[in-house]
Amino acid sequence: LRDTSAKAEAASLAETAAALQPEAPAVLWARAMVVADNREWSLALAMMNQAIALDDGRPEFYYYRSIFYPYAGDRDKMAADLEASLALNPDFGPAILGQVYFRGERYDYTDIEETSQYVLEQWPDWHHAYHLSGYYYQYVVRDKEQALAAYNQAIELLPELASSYLPRAFLYFDLGDYENAQADFETSLALDDRSSGAYYGLASIASVNNDLDLEREYLEQAVAVSNNGLHARIDLAFHLLVNGELDRAWEMANEVLAEDSSFAAAYAVRALVQQIEGENRRALADVDKALNLNPQLVFAYYVRAEALLANEAYEEAIETAEPILEYAPEAFDAHRLLFYAAYGLEDWEEAERQY
């Protein structure tokens, strides 16, 4: 029922089960899923802890608990739970996918081709298998036509699931097909009006259209439906920053860090505020914290390179900008940074090449 966006009915069934066997591990698991749908992450995590204390031999319990840990600011425990789930059942599909996506956030695509093929062979009628295939083609092979075909297949298998439309919507956005992207984001919201990802996508389209008021409205809705989620607040902080509301962006980044001191993107926001205000040494200190926490945070490399250029540290700026193209080959703005660094070093041939 949850996979078909019938969350109210799922919640009703969980309540019925709780009335019959309130302490049964599976009932706690079901209740945790319902609580998570309401974005009450701490309560969901507590329920899964209780379920695992009662029955520590079920791989699905560790997998679902792993989903909640990022909201509690603990990626290490997320990784451990994914490992625990797969140790209990190496063929537990959700945990296989969870581990791939966990690594992918850090641009670690180890064995993803083999894993994607294996998942499709094992579960050819599972919509998530096609999401993984699309992810592989989009971000590793960079074959967007193949990615689109996979996402289409995922939607065909389960058109009632709101989240099925989001990967295709963001791919359309990357392709510059904003009309189809908007249609998919709106379909996702029609199926689940608490889809923070859909609101973020609509905000991105509003930004492309230079409708800053609408962009902010969508980002604020994303924060609201995510129950003040950390990621949604950082997205809003970036918007505030770009629109010159530096003080509020700074405050929001600090609020996030007060709840999760390991949230790398929050340090990157603070660094950019300081870089804009000419506090380059402080900016470098914060951006280095961000990169220590997440060495693959592409945006942090941008901020660091900008600060180094301002300090006329051109060679170090080049060393900082080059990883951007390693992690995101289509990030053309990295060439602007490399151009200015080469220009500062009076390397005219390289400056012309980057230009």
Side-chain angles (χ1 to χ4, degrees):
L1 288 169
R2 292 178 66 253
D3 271 356
T4 57
S5 301
K7 293 183 178 179
E9 193 174 347
S12 177
L13 284 175
E15 288 179 10
T16 301
L20 295 170
Q21 289 185 289
E23 300 303 322
V27 172
L28 288 165
W29 170 35
R31 291 176 63 202
M33 295 300 97
V34 171
V35 167
D37 287 338
N38 292 325
R39 277 57 175 178
E40 298 178 57
W41 307 112
S42 296
L43 181 55
L45 185 58
M47 287 180 172
M48 287 311 304
N49 287 339
Q50 189 177 353
I52 290 171
L54 292 168
D55 184 350
D56 63 0
R58 296 183 61 166
E60 63 269 30
F61 287 3
Y62 292 96
Y63 166 71
Y64 281 101
R65 188 173 68 174
S66 77
I67 295 173
F68 306 146
Y69 273 124
Y71 301 99
D74 202 329
R75 287 180 55 86
D76 290 340
K77 287 184 178 178
M78 180 184 182
D81 267 0
L82 289 169
E83 292 285 354
S85 179
L86 290 170
L88 289 166
N89 182 359
D91 280 333
F92 186 54
I96 293 173
L97 267 65
Q99 191 169 70
V100 170
Y101 294 138
F102 178 85
R103 291 172 175 169
E105 288 181 5
R106 300 296 179 92
Y107 299 90
D108 177 1
Y109 300 118
T110 304
D111 298 328
I112 187 173
E113 181 179 8
E114 295 82 357
T115 302
S116 176
Q117 291 174 351
Y118 176 76
V119 170
L120 275 173
E121 290 168 1
Q122 291 291 108
W123 304 286
D125 296 323
W126 188 32
H127 63 287
H128 282 307
Y130 291 92
H131 281 150
L132 177 58
S133 179
Y135 179 85
Y136 164 67
Y137 281 115
Q138 183 174 358
Y139 296 106
V140 181
V141 180
R142 300 189 182 277
D143 184 334
K144 295 183 178 179
E145 288 186 7
Q146 289 270 39
L148 183 58
Y151 293 148
N152 286 340
Q153 184 64 32
I155 291 170
E156 184 177 331
L157 285 168
L158 196 59
E160 304 91 352
L161 182 62
S163 61
S164 283
Y165 294 86
L166 295 181
R168 188 175 73 176
F170 283 110
L171 176 57
Y172 278 138
F173 181 86
D174 287 345
L175 292 169
D177 186 348
Y178 304 125
E179 183 177 352
N180 276 321
Q182 179 149 344
D184 272 353
F185 288 132
E186 290 176 348
T187 299
S188 180
L189 282 173
L191 292 166
D192 179 6
D193 62 4
R194 302 193 66 183
S195 173
S196 59
Y199 281 120
Y200 175 77
L202 290 172
S204 300
I205 293 173
S207 177
V208 168
N209 293 330
N210 204 31
D211 190 338
L212 301 181
D213 291 338
L214 184 59
E215 178 189 5
R216 181 166 183 161
E217 179 183 333
Y218 282 135
L219 289 172
E220 288 175 343
Q221 287 177 296
V223 171
V225 300
S226 68
N227 195 19
N228 218 26
L230 303 183
H231 290 276
R233 275 187 279 167
I234 286 299
D235 291 335
L236 179 55
F238 277 120
H239 168 82
L240 295 169
L241 202 160
V242 169
N243 288 282
E245 297 184 50
L246 302 185
D247 290 345
R248 184 63 190 119
W250 175 268
E251 289 171 6
M252 193 165 283
N254 283 332
E255 289 168 7
V256 168
L257 288 170
E259 295 179 37
D260 179 4
S261 61
S262 66
F263 203 99
Y267 286 108
V269 169
R270 291 203 334 180
L272 185 52
V273 171
Q274 291 169 130
Q275 193 263 324
I276 291 171
E277 293 180 338
E279 298 283 350
N280 290 312
R281 290 181 61 185
R282 291 181 178 178
L284 287 169
D286 263 350
V287 83
D288 285 345
K289 289 178 184 176
L291 290 170
N292 284 335
L293 289 165
N294 183 357
Q296 288 82 31
L297 184 60
V298 171
F299 175 72
Y301 286 100
Y302 276 109
V303 179
R304 192 172 196 278
E306 292 278 12
L308 290 167
L309 286 173
N311 286 345
E312 299 183 0
Y314 300 120
E315 291 183 355
E316 196 173 352
I318 291 172
E319 293 174 2
T320 300
E322 285 176 340
I324 298 173
L325 293 171
E326 176 185 345
Y327 297 129
E330 296 177 2
F332 299 115
D333 204 40
H335 294 288
R336 175 184 60 82
L337 298 170
L338 292 167
F339 164 77
Y340 282 118
Y343 190 87
L345 291 170
E346 299 184 1
D347 184 343
W348 313 124
E349 183 177 346
E350 178 63 13
E352 184 177 359
R353 191 177 74 86
Q354 294 297 337
Y355 185 81

